[in-house]
Amino acid sequence: GENVEQHPSTLSVQEGDSAVIKCTYSDSASNYFPWYKQELGKRPQLIIDIRSNVGEKKDQRIAVTLNKTAKHFSLHITETQPEDSAVYFCAASKETGANNLFFGTGTRLTVIP
Amino acid sequence: ETGVTQTPRHLVMGMTNKKSLKCEQHLGHNAMYWYKQSAKKPLELMFVYNFKEQTENNSVPSRFSPECPNSSHLFLHLHTLQPEDSALYLCASSLLAGGSLTREQFFGPGTRLTVL
């Protein structure tokens, strides 16, 4: 089965700085890679996703890059704000059937004002 | 109520009890999922139902028994649980359709389960 590893487990940055979270996956057949944000006491919510036919995707201050050859993908947050503080989960799946998502272990991001 | 709802939000049970968790989605989705979220292994996929058919049982012990009577409702029946089963149980749903632009899973608020 798929195995997703995520680093770092915790990350603290000053407000305005950038944050980068990295994930690797094991199954070369995986082709869909979403990122979820979970604020304290709340449910996970999708913030951005990328498919294997694209190398990079950007949405305002967040971007995701994918290297299929190396089987790793990264989340980049620029100009961080205190409200970016949360746990971020990467995931991988094959975009067929029921879209089973296999999640990384999460990164707790703290943005220091 | 909109989105994905779960009841109860909190549950404390003894190891010999039988209880059920309920999930309901109001989004017109056709796939539903159970996840276990604990400090040690965040967001473990437990069960998947695709058009009411169970398509995934991710090596979950038989003391957890899912039920999906229709595409809007999902249950997780619990019996003779162990203290290590204490966790947040999250339900999610998604729309599976050919050519869908997003595969987003929408999560419920979770049930915080404590097994004594």
Side-chain angles (χ1 to χ4, degrees):
Chain A
E2 176 63 273
N3 181 45
V4 178
E5 295 191 355
Q6 183 172 347
H7 300 280
S9 57
T10 60
L11 178 60
S12 292
V13 299
Q14 289 292 137
E15 182 177 358
D17 287 351
S18 296
V20 180
I21 303 170
K22 298 182 179 181
C23 289
T24 60
Y25 61 99
S26 61
D27 189 344
S28 57
S30 290
N31 54 11
Y32 174 68
F33 307 94
W35 287 86
Y36 282 77
K37 175 183 180 183
Q38 188 176 24
E39 297 178 26
L40 188 63
K42 296 191 176 181
R43 67 193 78 185
Q45 290 190 296
L46 179 73
I47 55 171
I48 194 167
D49 57 16
I50 191 168
R51 288 171 169 80
S52 59
N53 59 346
V54 176
E56 184 175 358
K57 184 176 179 180
K58 193 172 182 180
D59 183 4
Q60 299 183 326
R61 294 186 299 108
I62 60 173
V64 58
T65 58
L66 171 65
N67 183 327
K68 284 189 295 182
T69 303
K71 288 190 282 188
H72 67 70
F73 56 113
S74 300
L75 177 72
H76 305 254
I77 306 174
T78 59
E79 300 171 27
T80 53
Q81 301 169 1
E83 53 265 37
D84 294 330
S85 296
V87 179
Y88 291 81
F89 294 95
C90 62
S93 81
K94 303 183 188 69
E95 204 171 12
T96 56
N99 188 35
N100 298 354
L101 287 179
F102 295 93
F103 283 88
T105 49
T107 296
R108 182 173 299 281
L109 173 65
T110 302
V111 179
I112 304 165
Chain B
E1 192 165 357
T2 59
V4 182
T5 59
Q6 289 185 243
T7 55
R9 295 294 307 277
H10 300 271
L11 178 61
V12 179
M13 59 187 288
M15 290 191 287
T16 58
N17 291 158
K18 288 185 180 181
K19 297 286 184 183
S20 295
L21 310 185
K22 179 182 176 182
C23 175
E24 186 172 358
Q25 60 93 4
H26 310 265
L27 300 167
H29 290 167
N30 51 21
M32 298 186 78
Y33 313 80
W34 279 117
Y35 290 89
K36 176 183 179 182
Q37 186 173 35
S38 60
K40 293 184 178 180
K41 289 187 179 181
L43 285 171
E44 292 177 86
L45 179 65
M46 299 176 71
F47 299 105
V48 180
Y49 278 83
N50 182 1
F51 291 98
K52 300 187 298 178
E53 299 285 330
Q54 184 176 325
T55 60
E56 184 83 15
N57 175 340
N58 206 23
S59 302
V60 179
S62 59
R63 57 186 184 269
F64 295 91
S65 175
E67 178 189 1
C68 187
N70 55 61
S71 58
S72 298
H73 295 85
L74 184 65
F75 295 89
L76 188 62
H77 304 298
L78 317 170
H79 68 97
T80 57
L81 294 191
Q82 304 297 312
E84 59 264 30
D85 296 323
S86 298
L88 181 69
Y89 288 84
L90 288 162
C91 172
S93 70
S94 69
L95 179 64
L96 303 179
S100 174
L101 293 179
T102 179
R103 305 277 283 184
E104 181 175 0
Q105 291 188 14
F106 291 80
F107 285 84
T111 295
R112 175 70 62 186
L113 174 66
T114 303
V115 182
L116 301 176

